[in-house]
Amino acid sequence: MKYPSVINVICDLYFMNNNAHRRLRRQPLTTKAIFDIRELLLTGQLPPGRKISEPWLASKLQISRTPIRAALAVIYEEGLIDSAPSGGYLTRQFSSSDISDTVDLRGTIQGWAARLAAERGISSTGRLQLESAVRDIDNLLLEEISDDTLKRFAQLNEQLHKLLVNVTESEVVKREAGRVQMLPFSETSAFFNRNLSLDWRHRLAQMCQIQHHAILEAVFSREGTRAEALLREHARLTVTAIQEIFLQK
């Protein structure tokens, strides 16, 4: 089986400040619908400029319309779809520069957070939380890999990246990280796309975790410049993942 040449892909997960949407995301069927609808958007199965049909999605995904509607509300907040004048939602058109700019901006903000965490130091509690989060991912990746396992990976990854921002104890960093995560394509869990083989996606998760360990090692060692560079490169490689997904269409 042929795999893409570059598999070092960031998988940092979108987190939202809106508590209502965070509760929606914890519902299993809503979470499944979010992943599946993102996949349909990314692979072009929901073409740009079209009104999104809830009944069609419910039939396609074999999920009732209530979680479909909740998932669309979350995806709208992410900026992946627009509201339709007559109600409901429309798919959006994105250029390669839109994606690249968003990835670069996310890498800049999160790299800044990693540098501050390293240079200012973090509390013993913060360190324990980060170590626990990365250990949870290590343990998960020892399990038999499935679509559900990779979605769990995405959830744990979200927690790890949120922790990395929070341990800075900087309200400015937290605010700006939250803003950039609201941009389209700042959420890369969508790129665990089932059009790509399960084995390939597993390799992505493994490489993401290797990078996580390197980033945390730099933070714990108080190497601010290195921590920032690792995080920014981690983010920049998302473009490679997107390109590989588009090649599979």
Side-chain angles (χ1 to χ4, degrees):
M1 187 175 294
K2 183 180 179 181
Y3 299 110
S5 57
V6 181
I7 60 175
N8 303 43
V9 182
I10 187 169
C11 310
D12 55 312
L13 261 235
Y14 162 84
F15 61 93
M16 300 180 64
N17 292 325
N18 186 299
N19 290 330
H21 284 293
R22 294 173 70 86
R23 287 193 295 272
L24 285 175
R25 289 168 63 89
R26 286 197 290 266
Q27 302 301 316
L29 285 178
T30 299
T31 299
K32 181 180 186 303
I34 291 169
F35 275 89
D36 290 347
I37 294 170
R38 288 200 198 110
E39 180 176 318
L40 293 174
L41 290 165
L42 190 60
T43 58
Q45 295 179 65
L46 285 172
R50 304 280 184 86
K51 186 165 184 179
I52 299 173
S53 167
E54 289 182 9
W56 181 86
L57 283 175
S59 176
K60 173 77 172 176
L61 303 179
Q62 295 296 294
I63 299 175
S64 68
R65 291 180 65 176
T66 298
I68 291 291
R69 192 172 297 116
L72 288 172
V74 172
I75 292 170
Y76 171 74
E77 291 298 332
E78 293 175 354
L80 291 174
I81 56 179
D82 287 325
S83 60
S86 58
Y89 301 98
L90 296 169
T91 53
R92 292 185 61 183
Q93 175 74 58
F94 296 99
S95 68
S96 59
S97 62
D98 291 331
I99 298 171
S100 180
D101 290 348
T102 299
V103 169
D104 284 341
L105 182 56
R106 186 189 64 240
T108 298
I109 296 297
Q110 293 202 344
W112 174 38
R115 178 172 59 81
L116 286 184
E119 292 179 350
R120 295 179 179 179
I122 60 177
S123 67
S124 57
T125 298
R127 176 167 181 149
L128 288 173
Q129 289 175 331
L130 287 170
E131 289 174 337
S132 177
V134 81
R135 187 165 56 248
D136 286 343
I137 298 176
D138 282 336
N139 292 335
L140 179 71
L141 292 178
L142 294 175
E143 298 179 10
E144 183 177 354
I145 295 301
S146 66
D147 285 323
D148 287 340
T149 304
L150 289 176
K151 287 181 180 180
R152 178 60 180 156
F153 169 85
Q155 293 168 342
L156 292 176
N157 186 77
E158 173 181 3
Q159 295 171 19
L160 174 60
H161 280 266
K162 182 180 177 183
L163 278 171
L164 187 56
V165 170
N166 287 344
V167 296
T168 65
E169 299 183 355
S170 167
E171 292 304 318
V172 174
V173 172
K174 294 177 188 178
R175 182 177 64 247
E176 295 309 311
R179 286 177 178 173
V180 76
Q181 291 300 91
M182 300 292 284
L183 296 173
F185 294 103
S186 67
E187 165 54 84
T188 57
S189 66
F191 308 146
F192 279 82
N193 186 292
R194 285 175 294 183
N195 281 2
L196 303 173
S197 76
L198 189 65
D199 192 32
W200 188 75
R201 288 181 285 140
H202 183 205
R203 289 170 181 251
L204 295 184
Q206 290 175 317
M207 292 306 301
C208 285
Q209 184 65 348
I210 289 171
Q211 293 182 346
H212 290 154
H213 278 284
I215 291 165
L216 293 191
E217 179 185 0
V219 170
F220 297 157
S221 300
R222 308 291 295 271
E223 299 177 76
T225 300
R226 180 166 174 258
E228 180 175 20
L230 286 168
L231 206 311
R232 293 188 66 161
E233 182 62 19
H234 192 53
R236 192 69 188 88
L237 289 173
T238 299
V239 175
T240 301
I242 299 169
Q243 291 170 343
E244 295 295 348
I245 289 172
F246 287 155
L247 287 174
Q248 299 295 322
K249 290 185 182 181

